[in-house]
Amino acid sequence: MTQPSVILATASYDHTIRFWEAKSGRCYRTIQHPDSQVNRLEITPDKRYLAAAGNPNIRLFDVNSNSPQHVMSYDSHTNNVMAVGFQCDGNWMYSGSEDGTVKIWDLRAPGCQREYESRAAVNTVVLHPNQTELISGDQNGNIRVWDLTANSCSCELVPEVDTAVRSLTVMWDGSLVVAANNHGTCYVWRLLRGTQTMTNFEPLHKLQAHDGYILKCLLSPEFCEPHRYLATASSDRTVKIWNVDGFTLEKTLTGHQRWVWDCVFSVDGAYIITASSDTTARLWSMSTGEDIRVYQGHHKATVCCALHDGAEPSPS
């Protein structure tokens, strides 16, 4: 099976993962995931594998195969895995779970290599572009920075007490971090490098983005420059696109009939894909704010999507 240059996958409460031809909207592969729902999808930097975060496992599927079986399972979480991602070379994977832990997995060796205790259900984890710090957000409203070099928690923030942090995103150059919560608020900090390697957070902006929950926030990628956007996906059925310069509202993407759970930018920031409880995923043009493709096939809520339309990293 030849690999498409664009890998687009979605997962749903119907216990399936679907791969789509981005342009035509045709579903060309369906994987059954009977053991649990899938909470999050992520594609490895080399486009070879798709990670599906479930309850309580993370499963790796071969992107270039038609096999319904996973090639690897990562099994030491004890509850829903809500976050998963990869280091830029694809050597290791990180995860966060409702069991209150953040874990690191070496993809070349079995088992979990490191574990950090957040003491509350972890909803979101992002890797700083420096590849040496993980930032987690939890159900109690804590944001923690995990210094992978020192192997410890280097910073703790609580933007709003007892308000769950649903989603975190870091600007590609490490200059900003945004946290979105259940009250529809985004907190924005400038990230400053101290004299040590430790990252310092300087409050920059508080954005009341939605009346409902924000389920995902995402900053635009490097090749979107000089434009810098923040996307916020909400239970109010919309995705809003904010200009990071002043946090003014650029566009509101309307068309989904229910909650919008996830969103992902194309590599150049010209398009955004969204996943919704209305069972569909949609492809939107950032320039017009119109949806140009609807991916239909799931039978229940579509809760996560993953896209890799960039080049694979060159071997270092």
Side-chain angles (χ1 to χ4, degrees), residues 237-315:
R237 308 177 181 187
T238 71
V239 177
K240 291 184 179 177
I241 308 296
W242 307 86
N243 191 324
V244 170
D245 182 23
F247 292 94
T248 51
L249 182 63
E250 285 271 321
K251 289 187 174 67
T252 302
L253 310 184
T254 55
H256 279 301
Q257 303 302 307
R258 297 199 177 166
W259 291 22
V260 186
W261 285 96
D262 200 4
C263 61
V264 58
F265 282 106
S266 62
V267 69
D268 60 0
Y271 301 95
I272 190 168
I273 286 173
T274 56
S276 167
S277 292
D278 65 13
T279 75
T280 70
R282 287 172 190 251
L283 172 70
W284 308 79
S285 161
M286 285 286 287
S287 60
T288 66
E290 301 292 318
D291 60 340
I292 47 183
R293 185 68 64 239
V294 180
Y295 305 99
Q296 285 179 300
H298 285 299
H299 306 301
K300 291 184 179 176
T302 304
V303 290
C304 51
C305 52
L307 174 71
H308 189 339
D309 63 328
E312 298 92 273
S314 52

Side-chain angles (χ1 to χ4, degrees), residues 53 92 96 103 129 135 138 150 158 174 180 220 230 264 277:
W92 49 269
K103 292 180 190 266
I135 309 172
D138 70 27
V158 186
S220 55
L230 170 70
V264 58
S277 292

Side-chain angles (χ1 to χ4, degrees), residues 92-168:
W92 49 269
M93 175 173 74
Y94 59 88
S95 61
S97 165
E98 289 182 344
D99 66 14
T101 66
V102 173
K103 292 180 190 266
I104 291 179
W105 317 77
D106 189 324
L107 295 180
R108 300 158 299 183
C112 164
Q113 270 61 47
R114 292 194 195 174
E115 180 176 307
Y116 301 107
E117 287 282 345
S118 187
R119 302 191 294 282
V122 176
N123 292 326
T124 175
V125 184
V126 288
L127 177 61
H128 190 289
N130 63 22
Q131 308 292 305
T132 63
E133 291 170 306
L134 287 172
I135 309 172
S136 66
D138 70 27
Q139 196 64 18
N140 290 358
N142 303 298
I143 295 169
R144 292 193 174 89
V145 180
W146 308 94
D147 182 332
L148 305 183
T149 312
N151 207 22
S152 64
C153 178
S154 61
C155 180
E156 289 193 34
L157 290 169
V158 186
E160 215 171 304
V161 177
D162 290 335
T163 304
V165 176
R166 290 303 288 253
S167 183
L168 288 164

